[in-house]
Amino acid sequence: MLDAHRIDQFKDTESQGGITDIKLWLTVNRIVELKAMVKDDPVPVELEGWVWQFRKQGKLAFVELFDGSTWKIVQVTLKKNKLPENKFDLIDEIYRGAALRIKGQLKADGRAPHGIEVLAEDMDVIHPSNEEFDQQVPQDAGVDVRLNKRHIVIRSPKTSAILKLRSHILKYTRDYFYSRGAEEVTPPTIVEAQAEGGAELFEIKYFDRKAYLTQSSQLYLEAAIFSLGNVFCILPSYRAEKSRTRRHLTEYTHIEGEYAFMDFEGLKEYLEDYIIYLMEQIKENDSDILELFGKTLEVPSKPFPRVSYKEAIEKLKELGHDIPYGTDISDAPERDLVNHYGVPIILEHFPTDMKPFYHKINEDDPSITNSADFIFPNLGEIIGCGERETDIDSMLDRMAKMDPPVNPEEYYWYMDLRRYGSIPHSGFGLGLERFLVWILDLDHIRDATLFPRLMNRVSP
Amino acid sequence: MLDAHRIDQFKDTESQGGITDIKLWLTVNRIVELKAMVKDDPVPVELEGWVWQFRKQGKLAFVELFDGSTWKIVQVTLKKNKLPENKFDLIDEIYRGAALRIKGQLKADGRAPHGIEVLAEDMDVIHPSNEEFDQQVPQDAGVDVRLNKRHIVIRSPKTSAILKLRSHILKYTRDYFYSRGAEEVTPPTIVEAQAEGGAELFEIKYFDRKAYLTQSSQLYLEAAIFSLGNVFCILPSYRAEKSRTRRHLTEYTHIEGEYAFMDFEGLKEYLEDYIIYLMEQIKENDSDILELFGKTLEVPSKPFPRVSYKEAIEKLKELGHDIPYGTDISDAPERDLVNHYGVPIILEHFPTDMKPFYHKINEDDPSITNSADFIFPNLGEIIGCGERETDIDSMLDRMAKMDPPVNPEEYYWYMDLRRYGSIPHSGFGLGLERFLVWILDLDHIRDATLFPRLMNRVSP
């Protein structure tokens, strides 16, 4: 492995004249970067990584090496007469998963994967693997085996690519938020009560009392804007939902933000810009990963179509779904609706009676709220958002009407935000894994996270 | 509030000639930035924020405005004859916490806080406050009141400053990790078993079974290095400790990393560089916050003193603490030890019998491990770290000897990491809140997080 430190050393040395005499400690990633630099001259390198594929043909062998620094593999060519005595025979002891150290010459080769190869001059086995490795997750393994062996599955370049992209999206997200002047906070995940609570809460034994795992940090973020201005958090959220759809995890990464002095229209634009920024970044920096998954990303243009809940109900009738006004639009009709448009849409202005007390009632039509969901083709809701109610009387009235009624005493601190210097503000929540499923068109949300948590799955 | 977008618009316009005719929508933060730009000419601005302090003297009034975009306040000067009719009288309805909109002229003023002031030309009350606000948290309020009213307490510029610095440290941390080629992952926080487990685990009702809240993501990070190379995570960790010290939260922000092909010596250097990088960034970018807390930061130089556990026991005897070899060094002697050195120290090579099975046994002396704690003056342990054991027989042996014994079946996936292509690797964990307490010399760790979770505290 090479850290940025060392590559910088390398670059310094290069500028002082010549690179071929430096012994480099390289990641596969760096090799890809270096390819352009080395041009025609081979570069001496030292690689550490794991065997992905390998084959032997007489006195010649090929090993595909993977080190996790990119999802890409690098082809190592072993020639018996180029290696120290007996080293070539080590190839007979190699299995997928073995950790190797290779010293050799890096060069361009149009026939090799990604156009580069390393011609080995020495090889050591850091730690072997064996024939059991491939039996851990056979080609025809079912879901349970794959999840029990998730620690093996994640070692494949394709799963590595998903987890890389996940890491990159987290970075692009923070970059976007920082550039717009927001601070990161970490509200507690252990909570006493939850506004949307009920059956979907995980209960914790908290010393001699009960507590719950959070479903959203929204209310805490609203409190934090009075301290920090615009704020965001990226934390686990939890849903104890008895659901086995391809869209539900019991623990997921929730990206949430609240914005001071931002109204509903400003919020929707901010989120359009965020989605477009993410997609442009992915297109620019992660095109290889998209290619691996056969995806060509079409960045949607602004404005995304705005569809009011009322219009949606009418449109759905045309599409053959008879949904009573004021009831939830479930997954299947939601997908039919968005696929009718073929681009992400903003489904907005849900009826007041359908939404919790904190959604702002529309000033022109009190029967609807300034709330919206961003619905993505083939998938469904990825973002829920809205302007927040600041009228304390309206909130108290709606808390009493909720089923079961919400006790305002439990939210004394939240109500206080409306008592002293209340301000217009808006916010959102995005499920990271759903976004990843959409970007890469994954079969199931369990593939979009390191070790998924599902209704029947809490290990490894 | 002004987002980066708008400030860019402003800059563009400026370069096209003159700024005085642009109506600016400014955060306090931007005012501070703009101060240098405006020189002697006043700049028309529009501000939104909350009243912190205010006073009226006849036809003149001063309001200190706070908007969270920085912990700094901006002085607004109101002159009766400069305001539209009746607007000056609004000052009589103002209380701390009220949200105001001010239009006026920004200019330098050496007598005002931070050297700038806004001369108001118009004022609106967005939402009032009242006399109750200051009674929420009286000057002499006890700990319980302050925690019940944490949503009010965080509105003070000083608490805002702590939370700002917290946000910045998270950013510096990720910058450092990214620059060294690590990827962010999010291991699950709901787990089935924990290697250090026992009495300090929070139990969850997970559908029809039990599960627990994580104490560390280390083992999952170790699995992830086979997929992604160097990895880190910044997630909540939980300790159900019946402890009321100033150093313990039940939920805290745990910064953890695991590094492929990194040995114990490399790890300690990496972490020294990380601490020095953090402190240099804070010194450079957050000097105002340090000043507010009366702190002058002395960035420690490399190498931090290495003190073996054995040496520490001897040194502690000299300092009057008689601690039997092989037992834990508790908080008080630990502080005496580090204060003896006066700089952060690396307490290393804990006896094998004291440490869990995953710490690597030292190659030269099997009675000690390649483990270390970074101990900071006046506080204690901030980082725990070590090289990880890769010898499966040693691990099985030590699992059996643990009290209670650890069942290797529960860690089948972790043991597999040592079965197929094991590699040398090392990692660490840092408690963000402890680091903040140390940097700002805070009285208690509960002040270092948005809404603290303590043994007797799970709300707001």
Side-chain angles (χ1 to χ4, degrees):
Chain A
M1 287 275 165
L2 176 78
D3 60 29
H5 229 58
R6 281 178 166 144
I7 193 84
D8 287 344
Q9 265 172 9
F10 162 73
K11 284 176 179 162
D12 286 351
T13 320
E14 186 205 21
S15 64
Q16 286 153 28
I19 47 172
T20 45
D21 55 344
I22 311 161
K23 203 187 82 175
L24 282 177
W25 198 262
L26 289 178
T27 61
V28 173
N29 199 28
R30 297 301 172 178
I31 289 182
V32 174
E33 282 177 16
L34 281 174
K35 193 191 146 195
M37 296 169 64
V38 297
K39 310 281 178 203
D40 299 324
D41 295 331
V43 184
V45 292
E46 182 163 326
L47 290 179
E48 289 171 328
W50 296 279
V51 174
W52 180 243
Q53 309 275 8
F54 60 99
R55 66 180 198 276
K56 189 179 166 188
Q57 297 170 332
K59 292 178 179 178
L60 189 66
F62 299 97
V63 172
E64 288 182 3
L65 208 64
F66 168 71
D67 82 345
S69 66
T70 167
W71 55 268
K72 290 176 182 166
I73 52 93
V74 155
Q75 178 173 296
V76 177
T77 304
L78 301 137
K79 291 179 181 169
K80 187 166 181 162
N81 63 357
K82 296 277 185 190
L83 288 168
E85 207 180 344
N86 298 330
K87 287 289 178 107
F88 188 75
D89 297 335
L90 284 175
I91 194 78
D92 294 325
E93 296 165 28
I94 280 179
Y95 294 87
R96 190 198 301 264
L100 302 185
R101 183 179 303 113
I102 303 278
K103 292 177 191 171
Q105 299 290 331
L106 166 71
K107 62 188 188 67
D109 184 333
R111 296 160 304 173
H114 316 298
I116 49 169
E117 70 158 5
V118 170
L119 186 62
E121 293 171 341
D122 200 359
M123 172 168 80
D124 291 297
V125 178
I126 298 169
H127 191 276
S129 180
N130 58 46
E131 64 278 1
E132 283 169 22
F133 186 82
D134 271 342
Q135 294 160 19
Q136 298 284 314
V137 191
Q139 289 286 351
D140 59 352
V143 171
D144 263 354
V145 170
R146 287 183 186 280
L147 288 174
N148 286 335
K149 304 289 182 177
R150 181 77 181 158
H151 59 292
I152 304 284
V153 169
I154 59 172
R155 294 174 74 159
S156 75
K158 201 158 179 174
T159 305
S160 172
I162 298 172
L163 296 175
K164 288 265 167 204
L165 185 60
R166 184 186 162 96
S167 170
H168 298 175
I169 292 171
L170 286 174
K171 182 168 188 317
Y172 305 148
T173 291
R174 287 194 174 86
D175 288 346
Y176 180 81
F177 293 162
Y178 289 135
S179 76
R180 301 299 184 101
E183 298 282 354
E184 181 161 10
V185 293
T186 58
T189 57
I190 300 180
V191 296
E192 202 168 37
Q194 281 274 274
E196 295 178 78
E200 293 179 4
L201 287 171
F202 284 116
E203 186 185 303
I204 312 166
K205 229 174 101 182
Y206 194 82
F207 301 102
D208 51 359
R209 66 205 292 183
K210 284 180 189 175
Y212 302 93
L213 291 178
T214 187
Q215 291 188 321
S216 162
S217 298
Q218 178 200 318
L219 308 194
Y220 289 125
L221 289 179
E222 287 186 62
I225 65 176
F226 289 77
S227 174
L228 295 164
N230 300 337
V231 286
F232 72 96
C233 66
I234 303 182
L235 282 172
S237 273
Y238 309 86
R239 302 253 164 178
E241 238 173 317
K242 290 196 174 172
S243 165
R244 292 171 189 264
T245 80
R246 75 180 192 103
R247 300 197 314 160
H248 287 89
L249 292 167
T250 55
E251 175 177 352
Y252 69 102
T253 296
H254 206 175
I255 299 173
E256 294 179 278
E258 290 289 325
Y259 302 91
F261 302 105
M262 189 184 272
D263 66 11
F264 189 47
E265 295 308 314
L267 175 72
K268 286 179 285 180
E269 281 178 45
Y270 182 93
L271 292 172
E272 283 174 327
D273 286 341
Y274 168 44
I275 293 295
I276 289 169
Y277 176 80
L278 282 186
M279 292 180 69
E280 281 172 350
Q281 290 296 311
I282 293 167
K283 217 171 161 161
E284 193 174 319
N285 305 312
D286 306 295
S287 57
D288 288 351
I289 295 178
L290 294 174
E291 207 177 295
L292 184 69
F293 286 82
K295 283 281 288 185
T296 49
L297 223 51
E298 296 235 0
V299 180
S301 50
K302 283 205 302 183
F304 299 178
R306 266 74 169 161
V307 185
S308 76
Y309 171 85
K310 195 176 164 203
E311 288 164 353
I313 294 294
E314 286 158 15
K315 180 64 70 185
L316 281 166
K317 196 164 281 173
E318 290 171 27
L319 298 173
H321 296 283
D322 201 357
I323 295 168
Y325 185 92
T327 61
D328 274 330
I329 301 172
S330 59
D331 294 355
E334 191 181 70
R335 265 196 306 277
D336 284 356
L337 178 70
V338 65
N339 289 350
H340 170 76
Y341 291 90
V343 291
I345 63 169
I346 303 178
L347 182 58
E348 64 181 354
H349 294 311
F350 292 97
T352 304
D353 292 342
M354 285 177 67
K355 284 288 177 183
F357 60 87
Y358 49 75
H359 285 283
K360 188 175 176 68
I361 291 179
N362 187 273
E363 288 189 2
D364 299 325
D365 177 357
S367 78
I368 58 173
T369 51
N370 285 352
S371 59
D373 287 348
F374 280 52
I375 316 281
F376 279 55
N378 299 319
L379 188 76
E381 183 204 333
I382 286 185
I383 294 177
C385 71
E387 189 170 346
R388 309 312 182 189
E389 187 57 82
T390 53
D391 182 309
I392 201 163
D393 293 328
S394 161
M395 288 167 74
L396 288 170
D397 185 47
R398 287 147 79 197
M399 286 170 120
K401 282 187 194 153
M402 280 180 81
D403 181 26
V406 172
N407 179 0
E409 288 298 308
E410 287 180 19
Y411 294 92
Y412 71 95
W413 58 275
Y414 187 70
M415 306 312 276
D416 274 355
L417 308 181
R418 276 70 180 170
R419 286 195 180 99
Y420 312 111
S422 179
I423 57 162
H425 63 290
S426 301
F428 81 99
L430 174 146
L432 172 62
E433 291 83 1
R434 284 193 184 175
F435 184 71
L436 257 170
V437 165
W438 181 72
I439 286 286
L440 294 179
D441 208 5
L442 302 177
D443 288 337
H444 197 291
I445 199 162
R446 65 179 167 242
D447 297 328
T449 190
L450 188 63
F451 288 101
R453 292 295 176 256
L454 304 158
M455 193 187 142
N456 55 353
R457 165 72 50 187
V458 73
S459 71
Chain B
M1 287 275 162
L2 175 79
D3 59 29
H5 229 57
R6 282 179 165 142
I7 194 84
D8 287 344
Q9 267 174 7
F10 163 73
K11 284 177 180 162
D12 286 352
T13 321
E14 185 205 22
S15 63
Q16 286 154 29
I19 47 171
T20 45
D21 54 345
I22 312 160
K23 203 185 86 177
L24 283 176
W25 197 261
L26 288 179
T27 60
V28 174
N29 199 29
R30 297 299 174 183
I31 289 181
V32 174
E33 284 177 16
L34 281 174
K35 194 191 147 194
M37 295 169 64
V38 298
K39 310 282 180 202
D40 299 326
D41 295 331
V43 183
V45 292
E46 183 162 327
L47 291 180
E48 290 172 326
W50 296 279
V51 174
W52 181 242
Q53 309 274 9
F54 61 99
R55 67 179 196 276
K56 191 179 166 187
Q57 298 170 333
K59 293 177 178 179
L60 188 66
F62 299 97
V63 172
E64 289 183 3
L65 209 63
F66 168 71
D67 82 345
S69 67
T70 167
W71 55 267
K72 288 175 182 166
I73 52 93
V74 155
Q75 178 174 296
V76 177
T77 304
L78 300 136
K79 291 179 180 168
K80 188 166 179 163
N81 62 358
K82 295 277 186 191
L83 288 168
E85 208 180 342
N86 298 330
K87 287 289 178 106
F88 187 75
D89 298 335
L90 284 176
I91 194 79
D92 294 325
E93 296 165 28
I94 281 178
Y95 293 88
R96 190 197 301 264
L100 302 185
R101 183 180 301 111
I102 303 278
K103 291 176 192 170
Q105 299 290 331
L106 166 71
K107 62 188 190 64
D109 184 333
R111 296 161 304 175
H114 315 299
I116 49 171
E117 70 157 4
V118 170
L119 185 61
E121 292 171 342
D122 200 359
M123 172 168 81
D124 291 296
V125 178
I126 297 168
H127 191 278
S129 181
N130 58 46
E131 64 280 359
E132 283 170 21
F133 186 81
D134 271 342
Q135 295 160 17
Q136 299 284 313
V137 191
Q139 289 286 352
D140 59 352
V143 172
D144 263 354
V145 170
R146 288 184 185 278
L147 289 173
N148 286 336
K149 303 290 181 177
R150 181 77 181 157
H151 59 292
I152 303 283
V153 169
I154 59 173
R155 294 173 75 159
S156 75
K158 200 157 180 176
T159 305
S160 172
I162 298 172
L163 297 174
K164 288 265 166 202
L165 185 59
R166 184 185 162 96
S167 170
H168 298 177
I169 292 172
L170 287 173
K171 181 166 188 317
Y172 305 148
T173 292
R174 286 193 173 86
D175 287 347
Y176 180 81
F177 293 163
Y178 288 136
S179 76
R180 300 298 183 99
E183 299 281 354
E184 181 161 9
V185 292
T186 59
T189 58
I190 300 179
V191 297
E192 203 169 36
Q194 282 275 274
E196 295 179 79
E200 294 178 5
L201 287 172
F202 284 115
E203 186 185 302
I204 312 167
K205 228 175 102 183
Y206 195 82
F207 301 104
D208 52 359
R209 66 205 292 183
K210 284 179 189 175
Y212 302 92
L213 291 178
T214 186
Q215 291 188 321
S216 161
S217 298
Q218 177 200 320
L219 308 193
Y220 290 126
L221 289 179
E222 287 185 62
I225 64 176
F226 290 77
S227 174
L228 295 163
N230 300 337
V231 287
F232 71 95
C233 67
I234 303 182
L235 282 172
S237 273
Y238 309 86
R239 301 255 164 176
E241 237 174 318
K242 290 196 174 170
S243 166
R244 292 172 189 263
T245 81
R246 74 179 193 105
R247 301 197 314 160
H248 288 89
L249 293 167
T250 55
E251 175 177 353
Y252 68 102
T253 296
H254 206 175
I255 300 173
E256 294 179 279
E258 290 289 325
Y259 302 91
F261 303 105
M262 188 184 274
D263 65 12
F264 188 47
E265 296 307 314
L267 175 72
K268 285 179 287 181
E269 281 178 44
Y270 182 94
L271 292 172
E272 284 174 326
D273 286 342
Y274 167 44
I275 293 296
I276 289 169
Y277 177 81
L278 282 185
M279 292 179 69
E280 281 172 349
Q281 290 296 311
I282 292 167
K283 217 171 160 161
E284 193 176 319
N285 304 312
D286 306 295
S287 57
D288 288 350
I289 295 178
L290 294 174
E291 207 177 295
L292 184 68
F293 286 81
K295 283 281 288 186
T296 48
L297 224 51
E298 295 234 359
V299 180
S301 50
K302 283 204 301 183
F304 300 178
R306 267 73 170 161
V307 184
S308 76
Y309 172 86
K310 196 177 163 202
E311 287 165 352
I313 293 295
E314 287 159 14
K315 179 64 71 184
L316 281 166
K317 198 164 281 174
E318 290 172 27
L319 298 173
H321 296 283
D322 201 357
I323 295 168
Y325 186 92
T327 61
D328 274 330
I329 301 172
S330 60
D331 294 356
E334 191 180 71
R335 265 196 305 277
D336 283 355
L337 178 69
V338 67
N339 289 350
H340 170 78
Y341 290 90
V343 291
I345 62 169
I346 303 178
L347 182 58
E348 63 182 354
H349 294 310
F350 293 97
T352 304
D353 293 341
M354 285 177 68
K355 285 288 177 181
F357 60 87
Y358 50 74
H359 285 283
K360 188 173 176 69
I361 291 179
N362 186 273
E363 288 190 2
D364 299 325
D365 178 357
S367 78
I368 57 173
T369 52
N370 285 352
S371 59
D373 288 348
F374 280 51
I375 315 282
F376 280 55
N378 299 319
L379 188 76
E381 183 205 331
I382 285 184
I383 295 178
C385 70
E387 189 169 349
R388 310 311 182 188
E389 186 57 82
T390 52
D391 182 309
I392 201 163
D393 293 328
S394 160
M395 288 166 73
L396 288 169
D397 186 46
R398 288 147 78 195
M399 286 170 119
K401 281 187 196 153
M402 279 179 81
D403 180 25
V406 173
N407 178 0
E409 289 298 306
E410 287 179 20
Y411 293 92
Y412 71 95
W413 59 275
Y414 186 71
M415 305 312 276
D416 274 357
L417 308 181
R418 276 69 180 171
R419 287 195 179 98
Y420 312 112
S422 179
I423 59 162
H425 63 290
S426 301
F428 80 100
L430 175 146
L432 172 62
E433 291 83 0
R434 284 194 185 175
F435 185 71
L436 258 169
V437 165
W438 182 72
I439 286 286
L440 294 179
D441 208 5
L442 302 177
D443 288 336
H444 198 290
I445 199 163
R446 65 179 168 242
D447 298 327
T449 190
L450 187 63
F451 288 101
R453 291 296 177 254
L454 304 159
M455 194 187 141
N456 55 353
R457 166 73 48 187
V458 72
S459 71

